[in-house]
Amino acid sequence: MSQAPVIPQATRRRHDREIVALAVPAFGALVAEPLFVLADSAIVGHLGTAQLAGLGVASALLTTAVSIFVFLAYATTAAVARRVGSGDLQAAIRQGMDGIWLALLLGAAVIALVLPLTQGIVDAFGASATAAPYAATYLRISSLGIPAMLVVLAATGVLRGLQDTRTPLYVAVAGFVANAGLNAGLVYGAGLGIAGSAWGTVIAQCAMAAVYLAVVVRGARRHGASLRPDAAGIRASAQAGLPLLVRTLSLRAILMIATAVAARMGDADVAAHQIVLSLWSLLAFALDAIAIAGQAIIGRCLGADDATGAREACRRMVQWGIATGVGLGLLVVAARPLFLPLFTSDPAVKETALAALLIVALSQPISGVVFVLDGVLMGAGDGPYLAGAMVVTLAVFTPVALLVPALGGGLTALWAAMTLMMAVRLLTLWLRARSGRWVVTGATR
């Protein structure tokens, strides 16, 4: 991106078709994932407040644990896409199998850690005496599905790298339907209570993993790729994923610090923060879908030794990010009065959230470019830079956020700090994109 020549119209149209073909199904799959927790909450909520509170604690722990390993999808997408671009589908699927074997190993390690420590983890999270037993039950059972969840992440990365985002959409939707049906049947039909909800989720996740494995194994047999674990390949997958793990942990730390700061401001502020954060996360799905398209397209271009195509795709996706960000920002501004009553009837919470949502709306064009460039650099396998940039962002954000309550600032000031955080990310990612150092061609980086 050091130079910005005009992209021919035919090339723009080709990029647009590719972006839409990859991003739209990816967005559907991303939205389907949180529906698992939503369905569990709707079903368990009718059992009682203590059960719902227990589910809230356990699902938060599980979501955090699994999100830490999202690098399994990101790193696998980039590595597989490069091999696809080079024309070596056998090596691409072999690379994907290394990611899946790594997911199984990590899943087994998490189970070995969580099962004996379940009660202690729940207690450390601050669950009440009435909710803790239900949280422990749900966490203990659901942890058995973590290997399947991680396999789903890695296999999703394989298919994205193969330029296929439709299959993950179909699997996610089918998994959601199966999860809802199993939960209802086991919780009420079989009378298993919250344990039935946990078992339903485990079964649904295992079924999703089985479908993904069937798809990948079929592809491996078609192209003659080995299915056996390869120590060197698994180690390479772990090394590629480690910087992305650092990036993810830094981002999670930023979100946790923001929530902790909001909690110091009072009940109305923290309630409003939860509403704003929920919408911010939903908007992130739309922007992340473009980033996923970026991972797949950039990886393929670089694998095909097409540096010019990679730069052109990057520029076009940045334009998509800006346009999408502007559109989402306008939507937030227009929908604020309609959105807030869905979550609260408290006038104080509404007033607090209303101002913070305006900050979120104004920051969406920045977020659009950040998500796109994040995806571009992931697709290029530029994980070490992404890790360093996010650590720098965390270092800038932390003191600013902690000063907000000390200086008497409210939730609007906190979300201004969140916008500063996104601006720092924009600066670091733009500098890298502009330098062109991410453009490293070849089947491997």
Side-chain angles (χ1 to χ4, degrees):
M1 285 183 63
S2 56
Q3 298 177 344
V6 176
I7 303 174
Q9 187 173 11
T11 302
R12 286 203 307 270
R13 288 176 178 171
R14 175 170 57 83
H15 287 317
D16 290 345
R17 286 195 298 270
E18 283 190 317
I19 292 167
V20 170
L22 290 169
V24 172
F27 174 69
L30 288 169
V31 171
E33 292 172 8
L35 295 179
F36 273 78
V37 175
L38 187 62
D40 288 2
S41 300
I43 293 169
V44 171
H46 291 286
L47 293 174
T49 301
Q51 289 91 332
L52 183 58
L55 172 66
V57 171
S59 62
L61 288 166
L62 283 167
T63 301
T64 300
V66 174
S67 67
I68 288 173
F69 297 109
V70 73
F71 70 84
L72 289 166
Y74 294 157
T76 304
T77 297
V80 171
R82 275 184 177 269
R83 296 288 191 178
V84 169
S86 71
D88 192 347
L89 288 177
Q90 182 186 70
I93 296 175
R94 176 64 259 179
Q95 191 95 44
M97 285 305 305
D98 292 335
I100 290 173
W101 279 112
L102 176 61
L104 286 169
L105 291 173
L106 290 172
V110 172
I111 288 180
L113 181 66
V114 170
L115 280 181
L117 299 176
T118 297
Q119 192 60 57
I121 294 172
V122 169
D123 293 340
F125 204 76
S128 67
T130 53
Y134 297 111
T137 296
Y138 190 93
L139 182 60
R140 188 174 291 111
I141 296 171
S142 291
S143 66
L144 300 176
I146 287 178
M149 296 179 193
L150 300 190
V151 166
V152 166
L153 284 176
T156 299
V158 175
L159 295 180
R160 289 173 181 169
L162 293 171
Q163 318 296 295
D164 175 11
T165 56
R166 290 183 178 273
T167 300
L169 172 61
Y170 300 148
V171 175
V173 172
F176 165 70
V177 173
N179 178 67
L182 285 166
N183 271 258
L186 293 174
V187 170
Y188 297 111
L192 296 180
I194 195 170
S197 177
W199 281 117
T201 300
V202 169
I203 294 169
Q205 291 285 355
C206 288
M208 291 172 65
V211 171
Y212 274 119
L213 288 174
V215 172
V216 175
V217 167
R218 186 170 66 244
R221 288 175 176 168
R222 184 185 308 124
H223 297 287
S226 174
L227 298 173
R228 295 180 179 179
D230 176 66
I234 294 172
R235 186 164 53 250
S237 293
Q239 290 171 346
L242 183 59
L244 297 181
L245 174 61
V246 173
R247 168 201 169 274
T248 300
L249 289 174
S250 299
L251 180 57
R252 296 295 302 184
I254 287 170
L255 297 178
M256 289 176 63
I257 289 169
T259 300
V261 169
R264 298 182 185 179
M265 297 177 179
D267 290 347
D269 289 275
V270 73
H273 175 73
Q274 185 59 38
I275 294 171
V276 175
L277 185 61
S278 297
L279 179 61
W280 188 80
S281 300
L282 180 61
L283 296 172
F285 286 137
L287 299 174
D288 203 27
I290 304 175
I292 288 169
Q295 294 170 32
I297 293 170
I298 294 298
R300 190 197 67 222
C301 288
L302 294 178
D305 293 326
D306 186 5
T308 300
R311 290 189 179 94
E312 289 177 346
C314 176
R315 280 193 291 273
R316 190 56 179 161
M317 280 182 284
V318 166
Q319 293 169 0
W320 269 80
I322 295 171
T324 304
V326 170
L328 291 175
L330 293 173
L331 182 62
V332 171
V333 172
R336 284 184 306 159
L338 303 174
F339 175 77
L340 289 174
L342 298 175
F343 291 87
T344 182
S345 58
D346 188 328
V349 175
K350 285 183 181 180
E351 183 180 355
T352 304
L354 201 64
L357 282 174
L358 184 58
I359 300 295
V360 170
L362 293 173
S363 70
Q364 285 309 294
I366 296 175
S367 298
V369 180
V370 166
F371 273 81
V372 165
L373 292 180
D374 208 37
V376 165
L377 296 184
M378 283 185 191
D382 206 8
Y385 182 84
L386 288 171
M390 191 60 80
V391 170
V392 169
T393 303
L394 173 62
V396 172
F397 172 77
T398 301
V400 174
L402 294 178
L403 278 173
V404 168
L407 297 176
L411 190 66
T412 302
L414 176 60
W415 275 92
M418 288 286 285
T419 301
L420 172 64
M421 177 270 293
M422 293 301 290
V424 172
R425 290 187 68 189
L426 174 61
L427 177 62
T428 57
L429 296 175
W430 178 78
L431 288 173
R432 185 63 167 183
R434 188 174 183 273
S435 74
R437 294 177 184 173
W438 57 277
V439 184
V440 179
T441 58
T444 58
R445 183 177 172 87

